[in-house]
Amino acid sequence: MRTGWFFGRFCSFFSHFFEKLPSFVAMRRLLTRIINRVLLDASVTPAMTGAEAEIHTEGRRKLVVGLGNPGMEGTRHSVGMAVLGALAARLGVADRWHGDRHVSGEVILSEVQQTRLVLLRPRLLMNVNGVSVAKAAGKYGIRPEDILLVHDELDKPLGKIAIKHGGSARGHNGVRSCVDCLQTDVMLRLRVGIGRPSGKTSVERHVLSRFSSAEQKVLESVLVQSVDLLISQLSQQDSPSAPSSPAGGRAAAAAAQRKQKEV
């Protein structure tokens, strides 16, 4: 009886103890935020070359980012990089990629109908892609509302794409890193469907896997449609800028619009 009582108390204590501990997911997010801040604080604003300085002249400037993992460009999780590569090819600048250690990524400077573009492929892991995005935005003087993130989307099947105007990261670690580093969620996003895993395949294994030969054929069409949509978005005239905020960018924009109507 004494042993049973002691074992019960022991289990009760540890159950209560672990309930008080932060979850693994929460701990991982906290650690990622710390890494984001450390990497950003360590950055130094570089002196710019003529071509880089020219982008700061008057006119529209936009940053288009293909989120992903360096060295894993052919995987589902890095489909954003594939879209950005297709965009560079359509613009005839695919041979201009060059590494820029000051933004921890590879960049191309280009234009679309009088809009100056910076194309960016981060060379950091997906979970800290935001560091590269924030560095590039700072270097080229680009506002968060003029940043377009291209990334994979589990909740859409392969073959489906959609534009999302700000809002939460919805579980995407790369987007969450961007929101954390830029301290706002107003960035426009092109969500490229990769579908959820079937059977017992884990999400982690699914997103890090490569597309099958049959899926590659669908992907070719997806890349064309994605580039068409990107160019359409980039060619549009600027609309009134949504206010940047530490959180709730879309909600802040809606509130501002309501206020204008009331006036």
Side-chain angles (χ1 to χ4, degrees):
M1 290 292 292
R2 181 72 177 175
T3 302
W5 175 86
F6 178 79
F7 183 73
R9 294 284 292 177
F10 179 82
C11 290
S12 177
F13 169 78
F14 272 92
S15 176
H16 179 72
F17 175 76
F18 282 111
E19 283 179 359
K20 295 297 183 181
L21 283 178
S23 68
F24 172 74
V25 173
M27 287 293 290
R28 185 172 64 179
R29 289 180 181 176
L30 176 61
L31 180 60
T32 301
R33 282 188 173 183
I34 293 173
I35 294 174
N36 282 336
R37 303 323 304 176
V38 170
L39 291 176
L40 278 177
D41 291 343
S43 64
V44 177
T45 303
M48 289 180 288
T49 64
E52 292 173 335
E54 187 178 345
I55 202 170
H56 284 267
T57 58
E58 291 298 322
R60 293 187 296 165
R61 300 189 297 275
K62 293 187 182 293
L63 172 63
V64 187
V65 188
L67 300 184
N69 285 307
M72 301 183 71
E73 285 80 358
T75 62
R76 301 171 196 275
H77 214 19
S78 296
V79 73
M81 289 185 171
V83 171
L84 203 63
L87 174 62
R90 178 81 67 87
L91 297 176
V93 295
D95 59 341
R96 295 187 193 174
W97 287 111
H98 65 277
D100 184 342
R101 62 186 180 85
H102 296 294
V103 304
S104 302
E106 296 177 335
V107 299
I108 290 178
L109 304 184
S110 185
E111 288 188 17
V112 169
Q113 294 189 9
Q114 300 181 340
T115 296
R116 297 180 181 274
L117 295 182
V118 178
L119 309 185
L120 171 67
R121 295 192 302 204
R123 303 307 294 172
L124 298 171
L125 292 176
M126 176 70 89
N127 288 18
V128 288
N129 268 192
V131 173
S132 183
V133 177
K135 286 181 177 181
K139 177 175 180 177
Y140 295 105
I142 298 174
R143 304 171 301 177
E145 53 266 37
D146 292 324
I147 297 175
L148 201 161
L149 307 176
V150 187
H151 63 88
D152 57 302
E153 177 58 59
L154 277 169
D155 291 329
K156 289 189 177 298
L158 180 64
K160 298 292 184 180
I161 60 175
I163 287 289
K164 185 174 189 291
H165 297 269
S168 71
R170 299 182 63 175
H172 194 287
N173 292 328
V175 176
R176 181 181 292 113
S177 176
C178 293
V179 171
D180 180 46
C181 292
L182 294 167
Q183 298 185 40
T184 182
D185 64 2
V186 299
M187 295 76 71
L188 195 68
R189 297 157 214 179
L190 175 59
R191 301 155 61 204
V192 182
I194 60 170
R196 287 194 171 274
S198 57
K200 296 182 179 180
T201 304
S202 67
V203 169
E204 289 77 10
R205 184 175 181 180
H206 175 67
V207 300
L208 296 178
S209 67
R210 295 181 178 275
F211 295 100
S212 67
S213 56
E215 290 173 325
Q216 284 285 355
K217 296 178 181 179
V218 179
L219 183 60
E220 290 176 7
S221 176
V222 168
L223 294 181
V224 172
Q225 294 174 31
S226 296
V227 171
D228 287 343
L229 186 52
L230 282 175
I231 291 178
S232 174
Q233 287 289 324
L234 295 169
S235 300
Q236 290 178 7
Q237 295 297 318
D238 285 338
S239 56
S241 299
S244 298
S245 61
R250 186 167 52 180
Q257 291 175 354
R258 288 196 300 271
K259 187 174 181 180
Q260 289 176 352
K261 289 180 180 179
E262 290 173 0
V263 176

